[in-house]
Amino acid sequence: MPETPADQPNISRVWMGADDALGDDDAVGVADRISSGEISAAEAVDAAIERAERAEPLIAAFATTDFDRARQRASGPVTGRFAGLPTAMKDQTAVAGLPLGLGSQALDGAGPSVSSSPITKVFESVGTISLGTTTLPEFGLTSSSDFHHGPPTRNPWNRDHIAGGSSSGAAALVAAGVVPMAHGGDGGGSIRIPAAACGLVGLKPSRGRLPHENDVARLPVKISAYGVLSRSVGDQCAFLAAAERYFPQPALPPVGLVDRPLDRPLRIGVLSTSPVNRTPASSVVDAVADTASLLEQLGHHVTVIDEASEATTQAFGDDFVLYWAFLAGALAVGGKKLINPAFDSTKLTSFTRGLANHARRNVHRIPGAIRRLKAAPELYHRQFGACDVVLSPTVSDPAPTLAYLGKDLDYQTHMDRLMRWAAYTPLHNVVGAPGISLPVALDLDLMLPVGVHLAARVGQERLLLDQPDLTAKKGQGQIADIVPIDGNGALCHIVKPHQQFERRALAGSTRTDQRDALSCLNGYRDVGQNRRIGPIMKPDAMKRDFSPQSSDRHTSIRTIPDLWNKIE
């Protein structure tokens, strides 16, 4: 493995998986192996640290490493569902003994945190062991991973592209195989956007499902939530169930352990575009259309949501940006009191200052924007109508290049590009509703993942995790388990976290290897019994075309069999 970024082409996939204690298991798989005694917590943590040391020069995902304390904790007794699992915490929440940097040079003078935040304690309570804190843009105010305060966090699929944000380092570490699961925070899409960019599963839970500093903050609209980024849906199910036992939330319907699909068809609404951006990439539009068609084939009631019912209007986007700017302005002016006495506002980035200036110029509009955002739940309800779930893109395009959302852009250019790319996710933060991003396709031109987004009403996380599967075979997996891009860079589908399936990389050395990698979407073989699990769908079984356009420039559920001829 190269020791420096210059030794490896940026287009090469960064994957740290090896024949070590972690293997290529997801978080549930690693935790189960630790629990059974097959491996020890110390061995799992040592393997993750070795991977981190190889990966960091290539992806720059850590804000602070904490390897010595991780090894110390792994050497003692650890309890919980994920006892001994190596992970990492986003540098957005306090970890006792480590500085809280929030991705900002304005906090360079801050000392170590005296105590851990409630969400850090939740992660500790379920048994995870943190290797350190992960990178984010300043205060999580953008989705770019090109930073002023250090090297950019790079997308492991193509290091010339961003990892998304603001949970940038978390996504890069999981996508590179350093850790199976990592903590993330989402204030406008900051878990789901990097999940889409890096081919991961990212769930933003309902507001209040997990503890957050904003729970006690005096904010007019509380938009942030914590969760995890993972390589399987099973990890999301197990983490929520474990965290819920430690942090029950009586104000919300319990989630429990989601381990079986629903027994009824769902009403699914489809949004292919957004008023903020009516021209998403064809690979994104087709991925949404393919998923919608497959859901309909499986017996769900799928309808296209009329543009007149869309809640994410241009006006909503303008209000959200103004509220975002209001928060940035409050930090710029009151950082010493709100965050840390060591806060130095002269070191704020040009983007944060641009947001603060936007708020200052439009201060007379802020009360109206807040009033309309508080009314957003009614718009959200109207958008859903009779639907149980809404399907849409997560972002408008695969991850852009570092330069496209670079640190040296002027504020307005950066904001315009950001809003066109990430227009789909802020609504759920304002409403407090859950949303999940799932990797369902690969853009062949860019060799980057494509994600789709599923959203439900407040408190209905189960609908996003336990819907019937998309494999057209009853009893196997869930809707959210259509993950053709697995953590090892192969096009593959994980039906159950504990099952092992053979995986072949798309970039196989022979045409036969490549064809096999693509065909794994059309029928899986259980390695242990060498039997077919069943097809996802037949190419000619499409009932309706939900796409306003079509293209052959990408890989998605519908077009994978057609790629055999292209490989030839």
Side-chain angles (χ1 to χ4, degrees), residues 357-398:
N357 289 336
H358 178 64
R360 188 177 301 112
R361 289 192 303 269
N362 295 278
V363 65
H364 59 287
R365 295 178 48 229
I366 293 175
I370 291 173
R371 184 176 61 254
R372 288 186 292 273
L373 291 177
K374 285 185 173 182
E378 176 58 32
L379 297 177
Y380 192 72
H381 178 74
R382 186 176 68 193
Q383 175 178 281
F384 263 76
C387 295
D388 299 302
V389 172
V390 170
L391 168 70
S392 73
T394 307
V395 287
S396 66
D397 297 80

Side-chain angles (χ1 to χ4, degrees), residues 318-336:
D318 292 343
D319 285 342
F320 184 82
V321 169
L322 185 54
Y323 183 66
W324 206 240
F326 162 72
L327 297 179
L331 291 174
V333 173
K336 286 184 179 293

